[in-house]
Amino acid sequence: IGTVAGWQLHKLGPEPPLADTGALMARRAAVAHVTYAPEVRRPVEVGADQEQQLVAWLSKRLGVQVRAPKLAEAGLALVGGRLIPGETGPVGLFMYEAANGKRVTIYVRADNHAVRETAFRYAQENNVHVFYWLDRESSFAVASADVDAEELRRVAALVYQQF
């Protein structure tokens, strides 16, 4: 599995300029997705059975209140989550899975940028689709290599509504 993730990561290409914060975040979300989504035995640090502890831990580490969105409407169940390093600090990564095994990850980081555009943006890093947006205190990216862009847009809209 590690070899597959490494092979996929080498194909992602160079990082965008640092000035493009959203695009950099989308790329990092894609890298996190291809790193953890293929894992069978340990895809997350904290499982869905400990959701309250996961949310409390990530909220404390990120310094902003986060939650694990309810995505049953999209056919997705929470697998769990983990803390990962981001470009400027800790990032929360939630993982969801459909009954057919398809996975979606949600990348959440705390931000303290005063004025930003909050519109949805789309990026694709090889076969990984990413919808991302910047909000007042946080930035979010919803990524998947398993679902098409239109389905992922619907999932991202559900996530946006809940944050």
Side-chain angles (χ1 to χ4, degrees):
I1 292 175
T3 304
V4 173
W7 178 250
Q8 289 179 331
L9 292 175
H10 103 278
K11 298 186 295 182
L12 290 177
E15 288 189 358
L18 287 176
D20 192 351
T21 304
L24 179 58
M25 181 187 66
R27 183 177 193 284
R28 287 184 174 264
V31 169
H33 182 82
V34 300
T35 300
Y36 297 110
E39 290 292 328
V40 175
R41 298 182 86 189
R42 292 182 189 90
V44 297
E45 282 180 277
V46 180
D49 60 328
Q50 298 176 348
E51 181 179 341
Q52 289 180 346
Q53 292 88 347
L54 171 64
V55 168
W57 175 52
L58 292 178
S59 294
K60 181 178 179 181
R61 289 302 311 272
L62 272 60
V64 64
Q65 185 62 44
V66 298
R67 67 182 60 90
K70 305 300 182 205
L71 301 177
E73 180 180 330
L76 296 167
L78 180 67
V79 174
R82 63 175 56 240
L83 184 71
I84 62 173
E87 63 272 14
T88 60
V91 171
L93 188 71
F94 292 99
M95 185 177 296
Y96 290 80
E97 187 173 71
N100 62 6
K102 293 181 179 183
R103 289 187 169 167
V104 171
T105 55
I106 302 172
Y107 183 99
V108 184
R109 70 174 190 200
D111 281 321
N112 45 4
H113 300 292
V115 179
R116 298 180 301 166
E117 188 175 333
T118 61
F120 273 140
R121 298 278 186 221
Y122 172 75
Q124 184 172 350
E125 296 284 343
N126 284 332
N127 66 331
V128 181
H129 303 283
V130 182
F131 279 93
Y132 64 96
W133 63 97
L134 311 175
D135 213 336
R136 290 176 294 272
E137 296 181 330
S138 306
S139 297
F140 304 87
V142 179
S144 184
D146 295 332
V147 300
D148 65 32
E150 184 56 32
E151 184 179 350
L152 191 64
R153 184 195 59 74
R154 287 190 294 274
V155 172
L158 285 172
V159 173
Y160 178 80
Q161 291 168 3
Q162 294 180 47
F163 274 103

